[in-house]
Amino acid sequence: MNWRKALKPAWNLARGRPVVAVYEICLRCNSNCGYCDLPLNQGRYEMTRDEIGHAFQNLYETGLRYVFVQGGEPLVRKDTVDVLEDLAAMGFGLSLVTNGTKLTPPLVDRLAAIDVSISVSLDTLDRERYAAIRGSDQLPRVLQGLETLQDYPHPKFIACIVTGKNQEDVEAVCTFARDHGFATVLGAYHWDVGRYGKVDPELQFAKEQAIRTFQKILDKDLLPGGYFRGFAEDNIAWLKGEDLGRCDAGRYSIAIDASGNVAPCLAHLHAGNLRTQSLDEILAAMDRGAVKSCSDEGRCNLLCGRLVGRNLRNPVTALRTPLDVSDRSRLA
């Protein structure tokens, strides 16, 4: 074993360097979600498979170890599973974030073979409201995609975003997830947060209403323990304007777009490009003052910048997080 490589992530945590990346493998999508303001469908350059391999091999050498692969819709890109296989072979832990419309049995079999967790976005089980939120009438396809994951052997999640349009549906989504062996990641709609978060009046909510929605789900014990409940509790704290602690954007985590541009998180400006610069050069160019100001103002509770720090500050809760939620007896 190469002990230097093995210990590099722990060294990164001690020094405040990235161990997690959110990677937008493509900026194309087959949905038009009301709360997404990422620059989709603009024909911008996407790194080739070889360029991705080179960039991420360098990132692995720096100690980065976990990658959330998303889009756009990542499975719109034809070679996404090939890329995931490449990243898995390097040693990365992987999570695929998808809308579920392109999950098929052959594709899921390939994903099962490389040990990637899958997170499927699902905000409602009502077809009309789904189309209104997602800008596309695709709920039947999503449910078919979820069916292909029935026997998936790795962690699987349903990500549900609380908005002003689906609050009455959240309990049903959480119950559906629990009954089908998925862990629910319950987040809140963020609007007007940097380059993330489209301002959609129909999806905006009164904070008091959203707090009640989160609290109801917690009271009914519809979320797994550990981090899943903790993240929901953090959303309540954020909605109340309470301090969540330091945001780790650009510190423990970074965001990478399809072109190789790197930012502290999805809400901040790019600081450099992996095709022409080293990660150290990019980290040195990041606007730390902007990140601190954003954190001090409590502007968001997004996973990209809060995941690692939240678990480090709450290690006991993190250790109680179940990876397998198919066994209902382990969810307490």
Side-chain angles (χ1 to χ4, degrees):
M1 175 184 288
N2 186 323
W3 288 104
R4 185 176 180 181
K5 284 186 179 180
L7 295 174
K8 191 73 173 180
W11 182 237
N12 279 12
L13 291 175
R15 297 169 63 206
R17 289 179 56 88
V19 293
V20 174
V22 176
Y23 174 40
E24 302 164 298
I25 192 170
C26 70
L27 288 173
R28 292 170 282 142
C29 195
N30 58 350
S31 294
N32 185 24
C33 301
Y35 48 65
C36 179
D37 205 21
L38 294 175
L40 303 174
N41 303 314
Q42 294 183 0
R44 296 193 300 161
Y45 182 75
E46 293 178 5
M47 288 191 290
T48 66
R49 181 181 175 184
D50 286 344
E51 287 175 324
I52 294 168
H54 179 73
F56 276 87
Q57 186 62 60
N58 289 339
L59 289 174
Y60 189 87
E61 297 295 328
T62 72
L64 196 140
R65 288 295 184 270
Y66 202 89
V67 185
F68 290 87
V69 179
Q70 60 180 52
E73 168 46 46
L75 296 178
V76 167
R77 179 167 168 152
K78 301 301 184 183
D79 64 353
T80 290
V81 179
D82 297 321
V83 171
L84 289 169
E85 290 171 340
D86 294 342
L87 297 180
M90 293 177 197
F92 285 105
L94 299 169
S95 185
L96 176 67
V97 182
T98 174
N99 61 26
T101 60
K102 291 188 169 294
L103 293 172
T104 63
L107 185 147
V108 169
D109 287 344
R110 288 183 66 188
L111 295 173
I114 59 175
D115 193 8
V116 55
S117 66
I118 298 179
S119 177
V120 179
S121 301
L122 182 66
D123 304 318
T124 177
L125 294 170
D126 180 276
R127 186 169 179 175
E128 183 177 342
R129 279 193 288 275
Y130 182 96
I133 294 170
R134 293 277 168 174
S136 184
D137 181 14
Q138 298 188 103
L139 181 59
R141 292 178 62 185
V142 177
L143 296 177
Q144 288 176 0
L146 291 169
E147 182 65 24
T148 67
L149 298 174
Q150 179 177 349
D151 298 316
Y152 192 68
H154 309 303
K156 54 186 182 180
F157 312 98
I158 283 178
C160 180
I161 303 299
V162 175
T163 72
K165 210 171 190 65
N166 72 327
Q167 291 187 68
E168 63 188 83
D169 305 324
V170 172
E171 181 177 345
V173 172
C174 293
T175 301
F176 174 90
R178 181 195 62 190
D179 291 347
H180 290 80
F182 292 82
T184 303
V185 180
L186 191 62
Y189 168 44
H190 288 59
W191 58 87
D192 197 23
V193 179
R195 66 186 187 95
Y196 180 94
K198 184 187 299 182
V199 179
D200 187 328
E202 291 192 8
L203 299 183
Q204 289 176 316
F205 49 70
K207 290 184 177 180
E208 295 77 11
Q209 292 177 330
I211 290 169
R212 286 195 293 270
T213 298
F214 277 94
Q215 193 61 58
K216 180 175 72 171
I217 299 303
L218 290 171
D219 291 344
K220 294 194 174 185
D221 204 22
L222 291 174
L223 301 177
Y227 180 79
F228 302 103
R229 288 185 62 88
F231 183 59
E233 291 166 351
D234 279 355
N235 272 285
I236 291 175
W238 172 72
L239 289 163
K240 290 181 176 179
E242 297 175 3
D243 181 19
L244 295 177
R246 178 179 178 178
C247 177
D248 298 309
R251 187 169 174 243
Y252 295 134
S253 61
I254 54 175
I256 306 168
D257 79 358
S259 303
N261 295 312
V262 180
C265 76
L266 295 173
H268 285 273
L269 297 175
H270 301 133
N273 189 286
L274 292 171
R275 288 184 288 131
T276 58
Q277 297 169 273
S278 69
L279 181 61
D280 283 345
E281 290 173 319
I282 296 170
L283 292 175
M286 285 185 178
D287 187 345
R288 304 290 176 175
V291 175
K292 183 178 185 304
S293 176
C294 186
S295 178
D296 290 346
E297 294 171 7
R299 296 197 68 203
C300 80
N301 183 41
L302 299 176
L303 279 172
C304 57
R306 298 284 185 184
L307 176 65
V308 178
R310 209 278 172 193
N311 284 324
L312 288 176
R313 286 188 289 270
N314 301 273
V316 174
T317 300
L319 290 171
R320 292 184 61 237
T321 304
L323 295 180
D324 178 8
V325 299
S326 60
D327 181 357
R328 297 278 297 278
S329 67
R330 298 183 58 204
L331 301 191

